[in-house]
Amino acid sequence: MLGRASGPSLPLVNQSRKYLQTSYNELHLPWLCPSFYGSSARPNSSRTLGRQRTTARPKPSKFRPVNKDEATSRRGLASAAIPETYGQPPEDFIPFVHGPSFLGLPHKSSVEQPKPLIVDSSCISSAAAFRPYNGISGQLDEIHQTLHACLQVGRLERAAALVRRLSMIYKPTAPGLLAAHTEYMRELAWRITKTKDQQMLKDLQKWFEVEMRRKGVPPDTMTYALMIQASLSGDNQKAIPRTIWRYRHLAEEAGIHNETLMTALTLLEDDQIETFEEFTNDSPQSTETVEVSLPDSDVLQSVISSLPEVKPVPQKGLGLASLRQALSMFRDSISELPSKEDRSDKLDINATQNVLRQRRLEKDTYESAIGRWREESARAKKVGVSSSLNNSSMGALMWEWHEALVSAIKDEVQKANEAESKTIKTAADRELCQHGPFLQLLPPEKISAATILAAMTMVATDRLINGGIKLSSLVSAIGQSIQDESLAEAMFDEAQRKRKGFPVNSRASLQATQATKQRARRLLVTHPGEKKSELLENLEWSSRLQVKVGSVLLSRLIEVASIDVVHTREDVPTTKERQPVFYHTFRFVLGKRCGFIQLNKVIIEKMSKEPVKSVLLKNLPMITEPKPWTGFRDGGFLENLTPVLRIRHGSLGRRYGIVASDSGDLDQSFAGLTVLGKTPWRINRPVFETMVEAWNTGDAIAKIPPLDPVIEQPPMPSKTATDYSAQRLKWLRQLKAIENHKSGLRSNRCFQNFQIEIARAYVDQTFYFPHNLDFRGRAYPMSPLFNHMGADNVRGLLTFAKGKELGATGLRWLKIHLANVYGFDKASFTEREEFANEHRTDIYDAAENPLSGGRWWLKAEDPWQCLAACIELKNALDSENPHRFVSRLAIHQDGTCNGLQHYAALGGDTLGARQVNLEPGDRPSDIYTGVAELVKAEISKDAAHGNATAKALDGIVTRKVVKQTVMTNVYGVTFLGAQRQVRRQLDEINFARSDVDPVKLVEMAHYITVKIFAALSTMFTGAHDIQYWLGNCANRISQSLSPEQIDFMLAEDKAKPGDADYKRLPTTRKRIEGPTSFKTPVIWTNPLRMPVVQPYRSGPAQIVSTNLQNVSLQLRSPSDPVSRRKQFQAFPPNFIHSLDASHMVLTALMCDAKGLTFAAVHDSFWTHATDVDAMNGFIRDSFVKMHSENIVDRLAAEFSARYRDYIYVASVKASSVIGRKIQAMRKSAGRKGKLTTNTEKLEELRTERLRSKLLASDNPKEREQGASMVTAASIFEQSADEKDILPSENLEAGIGEMTSARAVKLEANEQLEVGDLENAKLLDPRPDDSELETVQPSAVAKKRAQPLVSFWMRMTFPPVPKKVSTSIQ
């Protein structure tokens, strides 16, 4: 159970995490940005401070030398460096600033040899599994999770059985067993304290004596403290001192007496502390104990009215009405909200009314949905509408399903309880026992609503017409939804328990007891326990458990959800038929039989007219400032425990993130997220009113889809035509395309309908967008429906809540911004300013008569943002003094293909740097235009030489044709993907609709793509070398073995770390791993000290048996092999993403430190007009500071430290001198020239591992012995060098080179969220077989066809490419 008091709590401990904790070692790494001081660099703002640490740390005085041991004690991960010569930074310290000159060049620091601390995962297995026993799962993690669930719902007997089962698995001294006992005893102690139940006290005392001490489980400080806490509730006042003294005596014998007393003080209620202090003063005369017995099974039953109305999309139901009702709380008068005196959390005296309203927002998710369904059903019954599908709204139907599902859930729970009471259990009973406790964590009504909403959300967002949604995805989503809600409920209940524990007494008494507890915490010295973030990680359900619970609920939903379908035909009487809503079907996908859930066709038709949107209020913008990020799950929303990193549970990256959070390595990222989240926003009311007016017309205005789109239908082909069948097929396809287009317009309009309603609710309200990070460090808003990363219609509605005077330069930037959003953004700043002056009449007309005037603003590239700029500029010019006008409009400063900017800086490409505006110029350069001009020149040249394809394309290529490919090339798009992009562009300019043969069109797209890649290679020579080097490093890392993994493979005893805690070897340890089971991912540290772990792994699927079907789960864990191709392909773009994200956060911190309002959409930075010049300075300065340090050299240094002593598979040409020598050496030893079997590979691996150990020994004789050994690696070291090593077959080209013909989806952007949707469309993973034959393999691919000789070699990395030029200014 979660900790009840404010003291530390012991979480569940599984073995993989135990081994993880013991594998931490120190890292001192001066990484990319050695200019950071101390453990984090904090700007001068209380809102951007890093996390408040839960454990005291010695804080050095400002700038005094820090002792090395003291500094390293604060480290937790292989992450950003803490220079040993500096202490805690001053309060006004700004990252990357050296000396008095803010824009001065940084001090050049040398690359130091790092000493990395590594979280070794090579030998960590997946969760241990044992034989199921008496209805208890065999999965160890599921047993712990079920234990927590049973304690949460009060099923103490079941919890006791689970702990006893764990005692059969664990050895008595295993930490996991002690954690289970502690969790069980904590729940009993809390109940005893609240109820004074004397029988339960006796049961607890007997448990301690019989189940723990008698069975050899060593108690710890928390165990004794819990026993003391419970004993103080005894009714025999004479026996209490003796009992407490006995536990003190046992703790003293264990050497933890003082720690036990201090821990007890942190657990006790206020009225118990005085009694406890009295009992601890004198010793009792005896230490006898009372005989007790275990409990019987039945012991515990325990906005403003003047706002214009938005004309809704005609649809049945109360979807929008419900949203309006749910959002009406924004219009509630403060008197309707609970006053501070009436709140239960009386200690939270600083909570504002907005905080209370925000908490209500986050909690009203399912209640709002249930209320909507109930109201629609009541309305239907009131007017006498039947329950048939044709008459009922979706809400009324869902209320019917909800009532039936609630009954079904109650029935399922009753069956589970009955199965638990059976002595002999069937297979069905055992399944019920396993998932039964989890169905009791929430009320049946909430579980039902969560299930229906999760199911309808999934099916509404997937194209069910094309075959439905995979059952595995749907049940996982349902299980995840129930888990998230139960976790939030558990934390809320825990907080309520703590609050109720404070008696109503005088302020002096309260202060005294609090002072006692605080003093106890300061004096408490215990072994390092797990942090809160790790505790919450343990409470998360396993994927298997989510699937099981989701499957049970989905099966019940399939059973109860049905509809009355009325069939009406002219020649047949009207009939009514009851049909299920969901169908469970099977289909073959890639040769495998997969289960799918399909919707009833009539429901699909109804949903196209009445869209179902799961409006979750907890994910709307916040009306109070977000909680500052201080921990892995501590920040952003007030009630929702959302992780700061969008990384899958159980992954190695998640573990790195947790430890990095607890050790302070994420403090810089936390500070940046806090800056982004605390930016206040408001709705631009004039733009909103114009948008509503345009919306209500139903016309297509400014990217608003029309209400009733009119699209001309193609004529039906004549039946007398000779090719009638072919023409009719073509006609049907055209009709389908038109219907799909109409459906898309309607869907988009429905979504915009919700966005406008949300905006209406927030008019005249100040609101905020909390942010979190993806695994690369990129920041995304946590409110997906409405945020500044949305489309033009949303951005045009947003302004900063706080305004600033335009000042001397703000008016100029406001004019430039107007030109930018209009689309006139390729001219010089002076020309853009003049553009606004020349169109002053149009600007005034747009601001005064946006819809009844000339509508000049509708021609803009971003019309709604253009309208907002027109209104702002008009108001400023009409003011008495435009320079004193208070402007709230956000001015954007967009990067020029930021990925190429970073590559140009890394590679020193002067030409490329000029193209992406890294060097100053009179007017901004345009990389897309530059590439297009080079391509056109090459086409003209080829056309002059008679090339037929070039002649056909002469004059066709434009900037738009090359833009997508140039943009995505830096992020790893394959050649085939780039070719598809070019082909789509040719189609958009109507070139493909001519009489050009489709095969010829593919050839043309291929031709243009080759020219684009060649142009990029010319511009970015150094960047190409850097990208190739990054890929080469990733290739070696992804086929390497760690020392721990090698030692495990070579050991005769295959027991893994942590197995010593078990009485029997887990069944999951039976699989023997081969020498090519590579588990090493690419890991690096970004400039903010955030560890980045690439998540791409492969491995066999796990089969989970459910009541619907066997579900195949791709449960990726650190024990699975990495996906070598994905690790290689994703590393270069992910590395650039991490640099780009760090640059944004550093700019945010600098702006916040100087009082600037800041917002960002990745590489687009926003601030007030008057602060644009200052922000631009910060943007340039942070970029220069990052790249003035040799980033690639530091990355190479980190790799050398992180992967030291690793052994990887190197390859050389079989026909080369070194290749022939290695083959001759093997043949002389009686082996083949090439290693073909695992036995041969292991034997050579054993020899190379022994040689590495001997060479690293401190004993000169052993080093001499290692030097005399002859291995393939020693032959290579003596006769060859780095350039002789060939990349493996999956190493593809970098910037400007063609890749292989095989289309491989780049998964670097797997976790793209709001804001990256357009980029996701560019990386189209769908194969096109018609194009495969047209792509010729590159010269590099041809060279790889020659035979290679592979061998084991100690990890080394190729030399870092030299910069083409170091003169980029």
Side-chain angles (χ1 to χ4, degrees), residues 15-175:
Q15 294 311 299
S16 58
R17 256 198 350 276
K18 174 180 178 291
Y19 176 65
L20 172 68
Q21 291 174 335
T22 61
S23 66
Y24 295 159
N25 302 307
E26 178 193 344
L27 166 69
H28 172 72
L29 181 59
W31 179 216
L32 301 179
C33 303
S35 52
F36 281 110
Y37 294 95
S39 60
S40 72
R42 308 178 190 274
N44 186 19
S45 173
S46 60
R47 304 301 298 174
T48 60
L49 292 177
R51 54 191 292 278
Q52 298 294 325
R53 306 193 184 282
T54 56
T55 56
R57 292 180 178 174
K59 296 185 178 180
S61 61
K62 295 181 180 179
F63 296 101
R64 71 169 176 83
V66 182
N67 178 272
K68 181 178 180 180
D69 294 336
E70 178 183 324
T72 57
S73 66
R74 299 188 301 223
R75 303 295 305 153
L77 275 182
S79 49
I82 304 176
E84 297 183 10
T85 56
Y86 296 96
Q88 190 74 11
E91 290 296 323
D92 58 351
F93 171 73
I94 301 175
F96 289 117
V97 178
H98 296 264
S101 175
F102 180 70
L103 293 176
L105 290 176
H107 168 69
K108 293 284 186 178
S109 60
S110 60
V111 179
E112 303 174 19
Q113 182 62 32
K115 302 176 182 178
L117 169 109
I118 307 300
V119 177
D120 178 50
S121 64
S122 59
C123 296
I124 299 179
S125 65
S126 54
F130 299 85
R131 182 176 59 85
Y133 176 81
N134 197 27
I136 298 176
S137 170
Q139 298 288 331
L140 190 59
D141 56 347
E142 292 183 13
I143 299 177
H144 281 286
Q145 292 154 3
T146 307
L147 171 62
H148 171 74
C150 289
L151 293 174
Q152 188 174 343
V153 300
R155 296 183 58 181
L156 298 184
E157 270 199 10
R158 175 70 171 173
L162 291 168
V163 178
R164 291 191 180 98
R165 172 56 181 159
L166 289 173
S167 67
M168 299 168 63
I169 295 175
Y170 285 117
K171 292 181 179 179
T173 57

Side-chain angles (χ1 to χ4, degrees), residues 198-213:
Q198 300 305 302
Q199 181 59 45
M200 189 178 295
L201 174 59
K202 295 179 181 180
D203 297 336
L204 176 61
Q205 291 172 340
K206 181 175 182 179
W207 182 274
F208 175 77
E209 298 294 338
V210 176
E211 299 295 337
M212 286 195 69
R213 297 191 66 230

Side-chain angles (χ1 to χ4, degrees), residues 249-357:
H249 177 70
L250 292 174
E252 186 174 7
E253 289 182 343
I256 52 175
H257 178 262
N258 293 336
E259 293 89 340
T260 297
L261 295 184
M262 295 301 104
T263 302
L265 281 175
T266 65
L267 297 176
L268 298 180
E269 304 288 350
D270 297 336
D271 56 351
Q272 293 178 316
I273 292 179
E274 184 176 351
T275 305
F276 174 68
E277 290 179 340
E278 291 177 0
F279 292 157
T280 56
N281 290 333
D282 300 314
S283 301
Q285 296 180 354
S286 63
T287 59
E288 62 185 77
T289 58
V290 182
E291 288 296 329
V292 291
S293 60
L294 287 175
D296 296 329
S297 59
D298 58 345
V299 169
L300 289 178
Q301 301 295 339
S302 326
V303 183
I304 300 176
S305 59
S306 62
L307 290 176
E309 291 293 331
V310 181
K311 184 178 180 180
V313 179
Q315 54 183 9
K316 293 183 179 180
L318 297 178
L320 284 174
S322 173
L323 176 63
R324 290 172 176 172
Q325 179 182 0
L327 295 173
S328 65
M329 61 172 296
F330 292 113
R331 305 296 169 211
D332 290 344
S333 63
I334 293 181
S335 61
E336 294 175 356
L337 294 169
S339 64
K340 296 180 181 178
E341 291 73 17
D342 296 334
R343 298 198 324 269
S344 60
D345 53 335
K346 296 183 180 294
L347 293 180
D348 193 12
I349 59 177
N350 295 321
T352 63
Q353 296 297 325
N354 275 347
V355 172
L356 295 177
R357 296 163 72 191

Side-chain angles (χ1 to χ4, degrees), residues 466-467 470 585-596:
N466 296 328
K470 279 189 175 182
T585 63
F586 292 90
R587 197 167 78 239
F588 283 92
V589 178
L590 298 177
K592 296 182 180 179
R593 187 169 180 261
C594 298
F596 283 81

Side-chain angles (χ1 to χ4, degrees), residues 652-819:
L652 182 61
R654 185 100 156 199
R655 298 180 186 181
Y656 263 102
I658 292 172
V659 181
S661 169
D662 293 338
S663 65
D665 284 340
L666 294 186
D667 283 359
Q668 284 293 306
S669 299
F670 288 163
L673 290 175
T674 300
V675 170
L676 296 174
K678 73 174 184 177
T679 298
W681 300 86
R682 289 180 83 87
I683 297 298
N684 190 328
R685 184 160 181 162
V687 175
F688 171 78
E689 292 175 348
T690 303
M691 187 176 295
V692 172
E693 183 181 353
W695 177 272
N696 289 340
T697 64
D699 299 331
I701 299 177
K703 298 183 180 180
I704 294 178
L707 178 60
D708 296 309
V710 178
I711 302 177
E712 184 179 355
Q713 300 279 351
M716 180 182 296
S718 173
K719 294 183 178 181
T720 60
T722 56
D723 56 345
Y724 171 74
S725 298
Q727 289 188 23
R728 185 175 185 276
L729 181 61
K730 181 179 179 180
W731 174 71
L732 291 174
R733 289 175 177 173
Q734 291 174 338
L735 289 180
K736 183 177 181 182
I738 291 174
E739 290 302 317
N740 288 340
H741 180 62
K742 285 185 177 180
S743 177
L745 291 175
R746 183 173 182 81
S747 177
N748 192 18
R749 185 173 176 91
C750 290
F751 183 70
Q752 289 187 13
N753 201 163
F754 277 88
Q755 289 181 320
I756 296 177
E757 284 294 343
I758 293 173
R760 186 177 186 275
Y762 281 92
V763 169
D764 294 333
Q765 294 280 334
T766 298
F767 53 92
Y768 306 82
F769 299 128
H771 288 64
N772 61 358
L773 305 171
D774 70 1
F775 74 97
R776 300 160 300 187
R778 302 193 87 185
Y780 294 90
M782 298 164 64
S783 50
L785 291 177
F786 191 84
N787 62 69
H788 62 297
M789 286 189 181
D792 171 61
N793 65 308
V794 178
R795 295 189 185 190
L797 288 171
L798 295 174
T799 65
F800 292 133
K802 299 178 181 178
K804 283 190 177 183
E805 294 182 356
L806 288 176
T809 62
L811 184 62
R812 173 175 177 264
W813 280 112
L814 182 56
K815 295 178 180 179
I816 294 173
H817 174 73
L818 189 149

